[in-house]
Amino acid sequence: MTPEELSAFIRTCLNEAIVAGEVDLDPAEIGDVKVERPRSREHGDWATNVAMQYAKKAGTNPRALADILAARISTADAIASVDIAGPGFMNITLNKAAAGELVRTVVEAGDTFGRTATLGGSTVNLEFVSANPTGPIHVGGARWAAVGDSLARILEASGANVVREYYFNDHGAQINRFSGSLLARARGQEVPEDGYEGAYIEDIARQVVDAETAAGRPDPSTLPDDEAREIFRERGVNLMFDAIKKELADFRVQFDVYFHEDSLHESRAVDEAIDTLREKGVVFEDAGATWIRTTDFGDDKDRVIIKSDGDAAYFAGDIAYYLDKRNRGSDHVIIMLGADHHGYVGRMYAMARAFGDTAGVGENLEILIGQLVNLVRDGNPVKMSKRAGSIVVLGDLVEAAGVDASRYSLVRQAMDSQIDLDLDVITSKTNENPVYYVQYAHARTRSVDRNAAEHGVARDAFDPALLDGEADGDLIAALAQYPDIVAQSAQLREPHRVARYLEELAGKYHSWYGVSRVTPRGDEPVTDLHRTRLWLNDATGQVLKNGLGLLGVDAPERM
């Protein structure tokens, strides 16, 4: 019996009690019945607070309602016992055969186990990374790449249609500083004081010059400043962005949309968004500037959108971009930002409300703020990059640790906590390295599978009642948690829950492996116990693979 089946059965029991006149409750008021793992396995396989949830509406006390439900639930062949605890919690123990049936469910579902339609019918626009095209992605951006892509996979596993979007900031002062840095390097000069350093600047400057001269055009570094700067701006930004795209693709991160900031201004989207807000009565003029009255919607002060010199403020682009996403059909817009953007949340939420939308977790607009990443090697901070000078970038991390270890290590911590990544740990082949520990568990399930085939053990029989050992029960209980973990990760926007779950599952599997034989010893015959344990082994491998897939990490066959 799966958790979903148990939940449905409890609801059926409640409805039957209503029909029988044992409970005074309107059936229409009954929603989904939540079942979850008790804190201690000694309290059973599953627990529910359904009696506490509906007792008041039924005009009774929770323990009395729990008594009525327990009597009905206990009649099922799959239920070994129902115990009532505290004010009305019900702790439910399945018989071994019913508990073990989950193993068959996992194996038969395969790659789809853990996937649901919870968010079916919704479209989520998930914007992440969105680093300026002025240099390689720094290690903080690498965290967003790993977390954002993992969140997208988890939301998709919950039924959502996810649009992965990268905001290409090709408008503004930083692009001017970038082009000025390229021009200076092409001329053999020092970059401006506010320019960009690093070997990549020299590389791109050289590529621009080589491309222009190869096309029969003059070396742009020899042209007048304004003309030269424009060529380095256009060619350099494209080259840098191509490099960023490749870096992300090599990190297993692909985007559906690359949105250019320039297009907002060229298409008059900014003007149209301001006109929409003006029609809603939240735009006003003061001191020669145009403002939006965000204080009416929870912001700490009103915001300028058109400055007194007639230029659009940066916030005006944000307004237009949000409206564009909503007009493209997104029900939910999630924006992932770095630690220096805390002050940005209030104005953005106020802007969404000004349009008549909602803001916050699970609403039309949701902003997630992440914290910093520090790399450590030999106990010392890693502060310099051969690629980018004074910052550590994605390429440095991948070069040191590989894609799997990098992605997993960046995802396994809550995004609102700072990470200190110890390169010595995440590159080690020991159980101290979490990704190695989980991947090794999967590789071990595949090794057991191959060894079983050599000894004539196949999944041609399955008797879940034979899975009656403590290690069997612990492993089955862990497998049963996976769908809830995926659902919670999607609902709370917390991919790290999947990683931490996989580590717990790997631990249960390694313990099970130490006491459970899938193949016979010596001349012992193959029994149904061996065959049934092979099912449990393969179910574990499947869940490990599914979970690692949600994090964009490989599930190796051998290690």
Side-chain angles (χ1 to χ4, degrees), residues 37-56:
R37 285 290 175 188
R39 292 182 180 178
S40 170
R41 282 300 312 282
E42 296 176 356
H43 295 159
D45 295 308
W46 297 101
T48 180
N49 68 346
V50 64
M52 300 172 67
Q53 184 178 355
Y54 292 107
K56 186 175 182 179

Side-chain angles (χ1 to χ4, degrees), residues 122 159 208 344 381 471:
S122 66
V208 172
Y344 193 68

Side-chain angles (χ1 to χ4, degrees), residues 130-348:
S130 295
N132 292 335
T134 55
I137 295 173
H138 60 75
V139 72
R143 183 182 194 180
W144 274 146
V147 173
D149 184 64
S150 298
L151 179 57
R153 294 169 187 246
I154 290 167
L155 292 171
E156 287 173 336
S158 298
N161 171 43
V162 179
V163 178
R164 296 165 173 83
E165 185 145 329
Y166 189 115
Y167 187 52
F168 181 26
N169 192 338
D170 54 353
H171 184 89
Q174 77 282 350
I175 298 298
N176 294 333
R177 293 197 298 271
F178 177 66
S179 61
S181 301
L182 294 176
L183 176 57
R185 283 306 187 201
R187 289 174 171 173
Q189 301 169 352
E190 292 296 317
V191 301
E193 186 175 340
D194 60 351
Y196 294 92
E197 298 278 2
Y200 77 96
I201 290 292
E202 295 184 14
D203 291 341
I204 292 176
R206 188 180 309 109
Q207 291 177 56
V208 172
V209 171
D210 289 347
E212 289 296 294
T213 55
R217 293 186 287 269
D219 178 343
S221 66
T222 65
L223 298 174
D225 286 357
D226 289 346
E227 185 178 353
R229 189 174 286 108
E230 183 56 32
I231 291 173
F232 278 102
R233 178 191 186 280
E234 181 180 353
R235 306 287 191 275
V237 166
N238 288 337
L239 287 168
M240 188 70 254
F241 200 49
D242 286 343
I244 289 173
K245 287 181 180 178
K246 182 180 186 308
E247 197 169 31
L248 288 168
D250 291 344
F251 202 51
R252 303 176 192 150
V253 178
Q254 300 283 352
F255 287 89
D256 303 299
V257 176
Y258 290 96
F259 193 97
H260 290 253
E261 182 187 5
D262 258 350
S263 68
L264 292 172
H265 300 272
E266 293 170 357
S267 67
R268 294 195 72 257
V270 170
D271 295 333
E272 291 169 4
I274 293 173
D275 288 343
T276 299
L277 290 174
R278 196 185 302 276
E279 291 170 3
K280 293 180 178 294
V282 297
V283 171
F284 66 97
E285 312 294 327
D286 185 54
T290 302
W291 302 66
I292 175 174
R293 193 174 287 105
T294 50
T295 52
D296 287 355
F297 304 96
D299 197 6
D300 60 348
K301 62 180 180 180
D302 295 330
R303 304 288 172 174
V304 172
I305 46 180
I306 301 296
K307 295 181 288 187
S308 57
D309 62 5
D311 288 340
Y314 190 84
F315 188 45
D318 294 331
I319 293 171
Y321 187 34
Y322 172 74
L323 186 60
D324 180 86
K325 289 177 179 178
R326 293 283 281 132
N327 288 341
R328 279 186 272 141
S330 295
D331 305 300
H332 305 283
V333 173
I334 301 176
I335 306 173
M336 306 178 75
L337 299 172
D340 56 343
H341 284 77
H342 274 286
Y344 193 68
V345 177
R347 75 189 71 171
M348 288 294 289

